């Protein structure tokens, strides 16, 4: 079993829709939960991160972490064609000087105008 | 803006060739990483370095080596390329973590798509 599971999609939605992207994980040591966005032919870039449980909002994006269920989500409100990309969840434990990050496989999102 | 550059966007090599992938960052980051990205497998860490001349194996180091002679430059070496090393290679860099509650973003380069024939 992979430490981090993510549905690869693709997910296709109309412009303006609310998008929900999700990951599950098995390692209880994970305390940092990140979402990276990767446009075609580009490297991933950090969208937002959450430390431990709870919600975090940044503009149209909301990240949620439910540690009891080992489940994290990214919501995109009023989705735009420019949101079309692959979204990677990523997680990291607290211990150790080096912060090892485990990535999900990514969900490809297409927002149709 | 942080900039991580990789020497080539596309590379085609023959089986058995020695391959060098170069990565340069301009933000004075201590940490540098090499990942490969494959469909269905996501990003997997090959090697990372937390200081000049220091290196640590990641999850899949077999068939690879690295070199970090200068802080800004981190090279990935395929000693004898094989077809199963055909992949997208991504370099990243970050500051070291300063506090237990902090996450230091990894900044990625654009990637090198390597094909081994």
């Amino acid at each position: 079993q992979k430490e981090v599971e993510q549905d690869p999609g693709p997910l296709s939605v109309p412009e303006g829709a609310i998008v929900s992207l999700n990951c599950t994980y098995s390692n209880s040591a994970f305390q940092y939960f990140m979402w990276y966005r990767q446009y075609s032919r580009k490297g991933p870039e950090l969208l937002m991160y959450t430390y431990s449980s709870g919600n975090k909002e940044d503009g149209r994006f909301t990240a949620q972490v439910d540690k009891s269920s080992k489940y994290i989500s990214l919501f995109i409100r009023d989705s735009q064609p420019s949101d079309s990309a692959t979204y990677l969840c990523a997680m990291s434990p607290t211990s150790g000087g080096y912060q090892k990050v485990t990535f999900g496989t990514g969900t490809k999102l297409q927002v149709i105008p | 803006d942080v900039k991580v550059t990789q020497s080539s966007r596309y590379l085609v090599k023959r089986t058995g060739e020695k391959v060098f992938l170069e990565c340069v960052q301009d933000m004075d980051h201590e940490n540098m990483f090499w990942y490969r990205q494959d469909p269905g497998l996501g990003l997997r860490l090959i090697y990372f370095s937390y200081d000049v001349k220091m290196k640590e194996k990641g999850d899949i180091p077999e068939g690879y080596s690295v070199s970090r002679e200068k802080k800004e430059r981190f090279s990935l070496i395929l000693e004898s390329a094989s077809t199963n090393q055909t992949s997208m290679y991504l370099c990243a860099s970050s500051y070291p973590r300063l506090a237990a509650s902090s996450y230091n973003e990894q900044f990625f380069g654009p990637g090198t798509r390597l094909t081994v024939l």
Side-chain angles (χ1 to χ4, degrees):
Chain A
Q1 184 191 4
K2 288 181 182 175
E3 276 191 300
V4 178
E5 299 275 2
Q6 184 173 12
D7 188 330
L11 185 61
S12 188
V13 301
E15 183 176 352
I18 297 174
V19 176
S20 172
L21 304 168
N22 310 294
C23 289
T24 58
Y25 64 94
S26 58
N27 187 345
S28 300
F30 289 145
Q31 294 286 345
Y32 299 88
F33 303 93
M34 290 73 74
W35 287 96
Y36 279 80
R37 178 175 60 196
Q38 185 175 20
Y39 290 114
S40 181
R41 291 184 291 277
K42 297 277 177 92
E45 55 180 355
L46 183 68
L47 203 52
M48 55 198 307
Y49 83 91
T50 308
Y51 174 61
S52 194
S53 286
N55 295 357
K56 190 171 186 178
E57 191 172 319
D58 184 1
R60 296 185 294 110
F61 298 88
T62 300
Q64 285 186 355
V65 174
D66 180 350
K67 291 183 71 181
S68 62
S69 303
K70 295 189 175 67
Y71 188 88
I72 71 168
S73 301
L74 177 71
F75 297 96
I76 307 174
R77 290 184 299 281
D78 187 25
S79 56
Q80 302 295 309
S82 58
D83 295 329
S84 297
T86 297
Y87 290 81
L88 306 164
C89 63
M91 306 178 190
S92 182
T94 54
S95 61
Y98 158 59
Q99 205 166 26
K100 184 181 187 299
V101 179
T102 301
F103 288 85
T105 51
T107 299
K108 189 169 185 178
L109 171 67
Q110 185 179 22
V111 180
I112 301 167
Chain B
D1 265 359
V2 176
K3 198 162 185 185
V4 180
T5 56
Q6 296 184 229
S7 50
S8 305
R9 293 301 303 272
Y10 300 93
L11 211 51
V12 179
K13 295 292 181 180
R14 297 280 178 192
T15 301
E17 279 192 79
K18 191 168 186 175
V19 182
F20 293 86
L21 302 182
E22 303 283 339
C23 175
V24 177
Q25 51 94 4
D26 66 359
M27 278 302 291
D28 204 33
H29 286 164
E30 282 80 3
N31 296 340
M32 295 189 76
F33 310 85
W34 275 106
Y35 293 89
R36 62 178 283 178
Q37 185 175 30
D38 300 287
L41 297 175
L43 271 77
R44 292 179 292 166
L45 182 66
I46 305 171
Y47 267 98
F48 74 97
S49 169
Y50 52 89
D51 202 352
V52 174
K53 298 191 186 294
M54 306 304 290
K55 60 185 179 184
E56 293 286 341
K57 292 180 180 179
D59 298 319
I60 51 165
E62 296 79 19
Y64 304 94
S65 62
V66 290
S67 172
R68 193 164 179 202
E69 296 296 319
K70 292 185 178 181
K71 190 175 185 180
E72 68 272 18
R73 189 179 297 268
F74 193 34
S75 303
L76 180 69
I77 303 151
L78 286 66
E79 296 291 341
S80 178
S82 63
T83 55
N84 62 13
Q85 292 179 309
T86 291
S87 185
M88 170 70 83
Y89 289 88
L90 289 160
C91 174
S93 69
S94 77
Y95 288 116
R97 186 173 61 191
L98 299 177
S101 61
S102 72
Y103 170 69
N104 286 322
E105 177 181 356
Q106 291 188 20
F107 294 87
F108 285 85
T112 296
R113 184 163 292 283
L114 173 67
T115 302
V116 183
L117 302 175

